[in-house]
């Protein structure tokens, strides 16, 4: 019974995340969405829940958008059942980043939905936090779910700029990028394709 309940939570997050991608009306987002298989086709794996101190802010998260509020509500409902991760060490980006950022997987090579060809995860950043310059081989789509981020990247005429809930950020393979959260916690839907999980290269 418990396994069935957990599967429902994962499937709900997965389908709500796909609906958020769908709300971004452009060809790149559409192609990311089309690459994700039906949830029924993905193997399920039971992960042990793991909370990190920064996740305590999740019940107070606000400033969503019409297109992201359903996913944020589902995250608020299920965040204590998720396996939150901090893939970086203090040496990578410092103590502040280490303690005030966290991720949990919806679908990836090690996720509750096993998906080896890409990644769908939720990123949490505390207020006023910089995720410094980094790059990685997989293509990436971020969709801001709540709050706003200051986006900086190379090879792009429109940055630096703010991206708020409901707006997307795209990075080509190995495009250097950085984001800084505004004055409130931020949730971001983070998608990769073209390779399983790897620790990004720090610039
Ligand atoms: Fe990235």
């Amino acid at each position: 019974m418990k396994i069935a309940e957990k599967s429902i939570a994962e499937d709900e997050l997965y389908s709500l995340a796909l609906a958020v991608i769908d709300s971004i009306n452009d060809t790149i987002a559409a192609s990311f969405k089309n690459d994700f298989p039906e949830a029924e086709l993905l193997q399920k794996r039971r992960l042990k829940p793991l909370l990190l101190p920064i996740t305590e802010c999740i019940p107070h998260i606000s400033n969503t958008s019409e297109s992201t509020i359903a996913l944020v509500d589902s995250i608020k409902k299920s965040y204590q059942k998720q396996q939150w991760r901090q893939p970086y060490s203090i040496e990578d980006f410092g103590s502040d980043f280490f303690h005030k950022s966290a991720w949990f997987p919806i679908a990836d090579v090690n996720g509750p939905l096993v998906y080896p060809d890409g990644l769908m995860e939720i990123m949490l950043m505390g207020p006023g936090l910089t995720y410094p310059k980094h790059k990685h081989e997989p293509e990436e789509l971020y969709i801001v779910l709540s709050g706003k981020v200051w986006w900086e990247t190379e090879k792009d005429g429109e940055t630096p700029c703010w991206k708020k809930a409901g707006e997307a950020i795209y990075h080509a393979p190995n495009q250097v990028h950085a984001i800084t959260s505004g004055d409130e916690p931020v949730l971001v839907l983070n998608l990769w394709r073209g390779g399983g999980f790897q620790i990004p290269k720090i610039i």
Side-chain angles (χ1 to χ4, degrees):
M1 184 64 187
K2 278 189 174 167
I3 289 171
E5 282 171 8
K6 179 121 178 74
S7 297
I8 290 166
E10 289 150 11
D11 289 354
E12 179 179 292
L13 287 170
Y14 190 73
S15 66
L16 289 172
L18 292 177
V20 168
I21 304 168
D22 222 10
S23 74
I24 306 295
N25 207 5
D26 70 30
T27 51
I28 289 177
S31 72
F32 265 83
K33 189 196 165 216
N34 290 339
D35 280 356
F36 283 102
E38 297 288 320
E40 298 75 44
L41 299 176
L42 297 175
Q43 219 186 338
K44 293 181 171 69
R45 180 183 292 146
R46 197 166 184 189
L47 297 184
K48 196 175 166 201
L50 180 62
L51 290 170
L52 297 172
I54 187 63
T55 58
E56 283 174 20
C57 71
I58 288 178
H60 312 291
I61 278 178
S62 60
N63 279 333
T64 59
S65 72
E66 204 181 321
S67 61
T68 65
I69 190 165
L71 178 55
V72 171
D73 282 347
S74 185
I75 293 167
K76 285 182 173 180
K77 204 170 61 182
S78 67
Y79 81 97
Q80 290 171 310
K81 296 179 192 163
Q82 305 303 334
Q83 190 174 85
W84 289 87
R85 301 169 175 168
Q86 174 48 272
Y88 294 106
S89 68
I90 289 181
E91 288 70 36
D92 290 332
F93 292 134
S95 172
D96 213 31
F97 189 79
F98 181 79
H99 292 292
K100 294 180 182 169
S101 63
W103 287 257
F104 80 82
I106 298 173
D108 72 15
V109 69
N110 298 311
L113 295 174
V114 182
Y115 181 50
D117 301 327
L119 173 155
M120 176 192 284
E121 62 185 19
I122 300 296
M123 172 168 64
L124 169 65
M125 294 173 72
L129 192 69
T130 295
Y131 188 174
K133 282 183 180 176
H134 63 280
K135 65 177 187 176
H136 35 74
E137 182 66 30
E139 283 180 273
E140 178 173 67
L141 190 68
Y142 287 148
I143 302 175
V144 182
L145 301 177
S146 70
K148 62 179 182 179
V149 297
W150 181 248
W151 175 36
E152 298 169 87
T153 188
E154 59 179 15
K155 298 185 222 158
D156 194 295
E158 59 174 320
T159 63
C161 65
W162 287 104
K163 287 283 182 177
K164 60 183 193 306
E167 295 181 333
I169 291 170
Y170 170 73
H171 300 126
N174 288 316
Q175 183 176 343
V176 176
H177 53 281
I179 54 172
T180 298
S181 51
D183 56 5
E184 58 198 331
V186 166
L187 286 170
V188 176
L189 174 61
N190 192 185
L191 310 164
W192 275 8
R193 66 175 174 185
F197 183 75
Q198 56 177 249
I199 297 287
K201 294 185 185 72
I202 298 164
I203 306 303

